[in-house]
């Protein structure tokens, strides 16, 4: 991915370097307009994938936020495919730059390649990230939605769900809290309905937190401190709780003078 971006940005520099190394077989690729356009297109796509990847990172994330980002990306792929068929490549910045420099429009063969690739990418995203059931997602997103049919809720939870739906204080809390905060607050009063939502929200949506933990561990336990017991250190480094220094200090006994 990184190499594709480098090729798109520094085409002339790479070509000059290969010429000095007398790699005529590789220089020939940089003199091929169709090859340059393919590399530029791939650089644009990888750039979009990087942006999507950043949206799927962070601490306060859950599967519903992931689905919003993925659906938006799939919609973009469909729109890009439609525009490419019409000869509009304004959404591909690097490909536009290469095309403007060569003053040659995309030929039909390259259009077909791009649209086919976009379609295969869309199918791969939909295969790799399966959707939640519509009833389950609707309940977690907004239990007060009038379009949510009570018959789609399991029989043993329907009565509790109706109590929640007609609870005005819960409705007011839903307006000011995030989805995760709301369902955590509802667990004491409506445990069965909340458990359905929490089973969707609690699981890790990505490996971001695990990777952040390993990065913290590498910074704490270096080769010069390889025998360090990092249990308490890493817990302190990863927690969001702020230590109450004044309270801890007040509980400590001062060193008496001799």
């Amino acid at each position: 991915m990184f190499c594709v971006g480098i090729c798109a940005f520094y085409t002339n520099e790479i070509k000059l370097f290969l010429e000095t190394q007398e790699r005529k077989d590789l220089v020939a690729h940089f003199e091929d307009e169709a090859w340059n356009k393919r590399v530029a297109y791939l650089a644009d796509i990888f750039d979009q994938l990087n942006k999507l990847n950043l949206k799927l990172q962070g601490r306060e994330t859950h599967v519903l936020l992931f689905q919003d980002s993925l659906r938006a990306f799939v919609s973009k792929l469909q729109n890009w495919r439609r525009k490419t068929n019409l000869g509009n490549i304004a959404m591909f910045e690097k490909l536009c730059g290469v095309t403007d420099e060569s003053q040659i429009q995309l030929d039909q063969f390259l259009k077909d390649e791009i649209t086919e690739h976009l379609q295969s990418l869309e199918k791969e995203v939909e295969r790799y990230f399966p959707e939640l059931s519509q009833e389950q997602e609707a309940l977690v997103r907004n239990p007060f939605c009038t379009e949510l049919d009570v018959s789609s809720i399991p029989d043993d939870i329907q009565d509790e769900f109706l109590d929640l739906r007609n609870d005005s204080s819960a409705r007011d809390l839903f307006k000011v809290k995030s989805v995760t905060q709301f369902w955590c607050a509802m667990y004491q009063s409506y445990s069965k309905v909340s458990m359905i939502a929490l089973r969707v929200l609690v699981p890790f949506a990505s490996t971001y937190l695990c990777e952040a933990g390993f990065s913290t561990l590498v910074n704490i336990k270096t080769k010069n401190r390889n025998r360090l017991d990092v249990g308490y250190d890493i817990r302190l480094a990863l927690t969001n709780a702020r230590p109450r220094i004044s309270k801890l200090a007040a509980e400590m006994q001062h060193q008496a003078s001799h």
Side-chain angles (χ1 to χ4, degrees):
M1 185 182 300
F2 178 75
C3 293
V4 172
I6 290 294
C7 287
F9 272 113
Y10 302 105
T11 302
N12 295 329
E13 290 78 0
I14 296 175
K15 180 181 178 182
L16 180 61
F17 171 77
L18 294 175
E19 288 175 346
T20 59
Q21 299 295 315
E22 297 183 354
R23 296 298 305 272
K24 295 182 180 179
D25 55 329
L26 298 178
V27 173
H29 290 295
F30 287 87
E31 295 175 348
D32 185 351
E33 292 293 339
W35 186 87
N36 286 329
K37 290 177 181 178
R38 290 190 182 94
V39 172
Y41 162 72
L42 288 177
D44 286 320
I45 286 297
F46 284 135
D47 183 47
Q48 294 295 336
L49 289 173
N50 284 335
K51 293 178 180 178
L52 174 63
N53 186 45
L54 289 176
K55 292 181 179 179
L56 304 183
Q57 306 299 322
R59 293 181 178 273
E60 301 297 329
T61 59
H62 48 75
V63 67
L64 298 183
L65 295 178
F66 273 36
Q67 286 198 330
D68 292 342
S69 298
L70 291 169
R71 285 170 182 167
F73 185 71
V74 169
S75 298
K76 290 178 183 178
L77 291 174
Q78 295 171 349
N79 187 45
W80 294 342
R81 190 169 73 248
R82 177 188 63 81
K83 294 172 70 174
T84 301
N85 284 325
L86 298 175
N88 184 353
I89 56 171
M91 58 285 184
F92 301 134
E93 181 181 354
K94 298 177 182 63
L95 179 57
C96 279
V98 173
T99 304
D100 292 340
E101 288 179 2
S102 62
Q103 296 182 349
I104 300 175
Q105 298 298 321
L106 290 181
D107 56 27
Q108 188 60 43
F109 182 75
L110 187 54
K111 285 183 183 179
D112 294 339
E113 275 191 343
I114 293 175
T115 54
E116 183 179 351
H117 179 261
L118 292 173
Q119 187 172 14
S120 64
L121 185 57
E122 176 187 343
K123 291 180 179 179
E124 183 63 18
V125 170
E126 292 175 343
R127 181 197 68 82
Y128 195 81
F129 300 98
E131 292 273 353
L132 293 173
S133 65
Q134 293 182 355
E135 294 80 6
Q136 188 179 29
E137 181 182 352
L139 171 64
V140 179
R141 284 187 182 275
N142 186 358
F144 304 101
C145 179
T146 56
E147 297 178 358
L148 180 59
D149 188 1
V150 67
S151 62
S152 64
I153 309 298
D155 291 338
D156 59 330
I157 304 176
Q158 289 180 2
D159 290 345
E160 186 178 281
F161 168 72
L162 292 174
D163 289 337
L164 171 63
R165 172 178 276 185
N166 293 280
D167 187 340
S168 58
S169 60
R171 185 186 297 270
D172 294 337
L173 186 65
F174 180 78
K175 296 178 182 178
V176 298
K177 295 288 186 179
S178 66
V179 174
T180 305
Q181 293 172 337
F182 169 77
W183 284 114
C184 288
M186 291 295 102
Y187 184 76
Q188 293 296 329
S189 302
Y190 306 101
S191 58
K192 293 180 180 180
V193 181
S194 298
M195 185 57 67
I196 293 178
L198 292 175
R199 284 173 181 168
V200 175
L201 298 172
V202 169
F204 293 112
S206 73
T207 60
Y208 173 82
L209 294 177
C210 296
E211 294 171 3
F214 281 119
S215 297
T216 303
L217 176 62
V218 170
N219 292 330
I220 294 176
K221 193 168 185 177
T222 64
K223 64 179 182 180
N224 296 324
R225 307 169 69 189
N226 56 12
R227 300 186 65 182
L228 176 68
D229 184 4
V230 298
Y232 293 110
D233 299 80
I234 196 169
R235 182 178 180 183
L236 181 61
L238 295 177
T239 184
N240 292 327
R242 302 187 64 179
R244 292 172 288 182
I245 301 298
S246 58
K247 182 177 183 296
L248 294 173
E251 295 175 354
M252 298 298 294
Q253 181 179 358
H254 298 284
Q255 178 65 39
S257 60
H258 297 287

